[in-house]
Amino acid sequence: MLKRVLLLINAPLLILSIGLLPQAIINNTVQAEFTFVDTKQIAERVRAYGEVCPGEEYEVYLPSAAVAKNVFVSVGNQVKKGTVLASVDQWLDHAAEDGASVLDDKVLMAAAEYGVLPEDILPSFANHDAPAHAKQSAVQADSKVYAPVDGIVTEVNLKSGTALDCRKPAVRMEIPNTKSVRLFLPETAAQHVSIGDPVVITSNSFPNVLNGTIREIGESAKQREMTGGREVDILVGLLENTSRLKNGFTVEGMIQLEEPRWANIIPYEAVHQDKANQEYVYLYVDGRAARRNITVKKELPDGVEVEDGLDGTETLLVSEEKLHEGERIMLKGEYHG
């Protein structure tokens, strides 16, 4: 009889405690979003801006100093191989005697006739070096200057009645449908690029993505007024057909500094750090938060690259509330940043 009375007395309390149990569990549960390790190929890149410029070029040099008679081309003209670019009124020869340059009567007379100093038309006739991306072509001394290839004239240094020494190109020509890109790279990044590095070129001026490789790297940094920083010129040779590109188009170049590699990437918001500067994450394991120490290799624009501590199969927790080891977790959806 006593047991029945006690059961009747305690029954309401038991029922009340059972009813409150789910709410107690909920009150001790933290809501958190979940995310996964993103395993993908990455490669370190650097961004630079610049413009489209002439591609493969020919530089036509005179075999010796000369005075032009007629110049038949101007910048922008498209010419065929063998086209006469200019005619020469007088070749200005020089002789060497006992290792010294001697001014002969022809040079003196030409200097007087055209109003120039003899030394201005008698430079050293040593071999001249063209830029690495240009090809040289010396004309025959038969009073005419010919186009060595089909091309577009981009520079003319010959002027009628004016002497030109042989160290300066008489005419510079661009090969049709070849373009280059000149990028201006911050000097802090220039030390990481090399000849042959691949470059991806994009622009609002054309819809397609173009691929190229670095062909030249400037020897020194220059102050740029537009950016206020010091930058190094990078010349990129394009690999695709460039017939629709125009010189001066503004472009953006993404230079790849390393071969693609596989990496585990997680959101910044999933990473924590304790007082000892140990970085860690919380995993979702059997309904609870489980701490896992990690080693961060590099911070990336879209997250953190984890070098050690994750194998790519884990479910990570992201929460605005502070999480604790062993805490009961209620998942409220996938985290999307």
Side-chain angles (χ1 to χ4, degrees):
M1 184 66 179
L2 180 59
K3 290 181 180 181
R4 184 184 295 273
V5 172
L6 291 175
L7 182 60
L8 290 174
I9 294 174
N10 291 327
L13 295 177
L14 181 61
I15 294 171
L16 179 62
S17 63
I18 292 174
L20 292 177
L21 184 59
Q23 187 62 43
I25 294 175
I26 294 174
N27 290 340
N28 291 324
T29 299
V30 175
Q31 291 189 348
E33 294 177 292
F34 64 91
T35 188
F36 304 103
V37 179
D38 184 10
T39 302
K40 61 183 180 181
Q41 280 193 316
I42 65 171
E44 187 174 355
R45 295 177 173 85
V46 61
R47 179 180 283 105
Y49 297 92
E51 62 184 13
V52 176
C53 60
E56 186 178 353
E57 294 182 317
Y58 259 89
E59 292 184 332
V60 183
Y61 287 84
L62 303 178
S64 68
V67 176
K69 183 177 181 179
N70 295 302
V71 179
F72 303 114
V73 294
S74 57
V75 173
N77 289 165
Q78 188 158 353
V79 298
K80 295 291 186 180
K81 180 179 179 179
T83 299
V84 178
L85 305 176
S87 62
V88 174
D89 185 35
Q90 193 168 15
W91 296 104
L92 306 177
D93 300 324
H94 78 292
E97 183 176 298
D98 297 329
S101 295
V102 179
L103 299 179
D104 59 23
D105 292 339
K106 184 186 294 186
V107 173
L108 292 173
M109 290 175 62
E113 181 180 353
Y114 295 104
V116 296
L117 296 174
E119 53 266 32
D120 290 338
I121 58 176
L122 269 184
S124 169
F125 290 169
N127 290 334
H128 36 263
D129 294 327
H133 66 284
K135 297 179 180 179
Q136 300 180 47
S137 177
V139 299
Q140 298 297 320
D142 64 352
S143 79
K144 290 184 175 63
V145 180
Y146 299 96
V149 292
D150 294 351
I152 301 171
V153 177
T154 58
E155 182 179 335
V156 179
N157 292 312
L158 287 169
K159 295 181 180 179
S160 297
T162 302
L164 178 71
D165 74 52
C166 63
R167 292 174 300 182
K168 190 172 186 178
V171 177
R172 182 178 281 117
M173 300 171 56
E174 177 188 348
I175 307 303
N177 298 332
T178 65
K179 294 291 183 184
S180 298
V181 166
R182 189 168 300 280
L183 298 176
F184 309 109
L185 190 64
E187 61 179 348
T188 53
Q191 60 184 319
H192 301 297
V193 303
S194 304
I195 301 294
D197 283 348
V199 185
V200 176
I201 301 295
T202 57
S203 174
N204 293 330
S205 302
F206 50 85
N208 299 332
V209 173
L210 300 177
N211 294 290
T213 57
I214 294 178
R215 195 163 59 191
E216 291 181 27
I217 300 175
E219 295 183 356
S220 60
K222 302 175 184 178
Q223 191 75 26
R224 290 268 295 174
E225 293 184 4
M226 293 182 61
T227 61
R230 294 181 61 80
E231 297 173 330
V232 176
D233 287 4
I234 306 294
L235 188 67
V236 178
L238 299 178
L239 304 179
E240 285 101 344
N241 184 290
T242 57
S243 58
R244 300 180 65 182
L245 299 186
K246 303 297 182 184
N247 293 340
F249 277 2
T250 301
V251 299
E252 176 183 311
M254 191 69 71
I255 304 173
Q256 184 173 306
L257 303 181
E258 63 179 1
E259 291 297 321
R261 54 187 171 81
W262 289 99
N264 289 331
I265 311 298
I266 62 174
Y268 283 98
E269 293 77 7
V271 181
H272 309 273
Q273 191 176 64
D274 61 21
K275 294 181 179 180
N277 295 324
Q278 172 63 57
E279 289 162 315
Y280 62 95
V281 296
Y282 280 110
L283 308 181
Y284 183 71
V285 180
D286 296 331
R288 297 181 180 272
R291 171 173 165 160
R292 174 79 62 82
N293 290 345
I294 62 172
T295 301
V296 172
K297 181 174 183 177
K298 185 180 299 184
E299 294 185 0
L300 303 172
D302 58 345
V304 173
E305 180 185 358
V306 178
E307 183 176 32
D308 189 42
L310 299 175
D311 61 18
T313 63
E314 298 87 353
T315 301
L316 288 77
L317 297 174
V318 178
S319 175
E320 295 180 357
E321 299 182 49
K322 187 175 181 179
L323 300 177
H324 299 87
E325 175 75 22
E327 199 166 35
R328 190 180 296 276
I329 300 297
M330 177 180 292
L331 299 178
K332 62 176 184 179
E334 186 172 357
Y335 175 77
H336 293 289

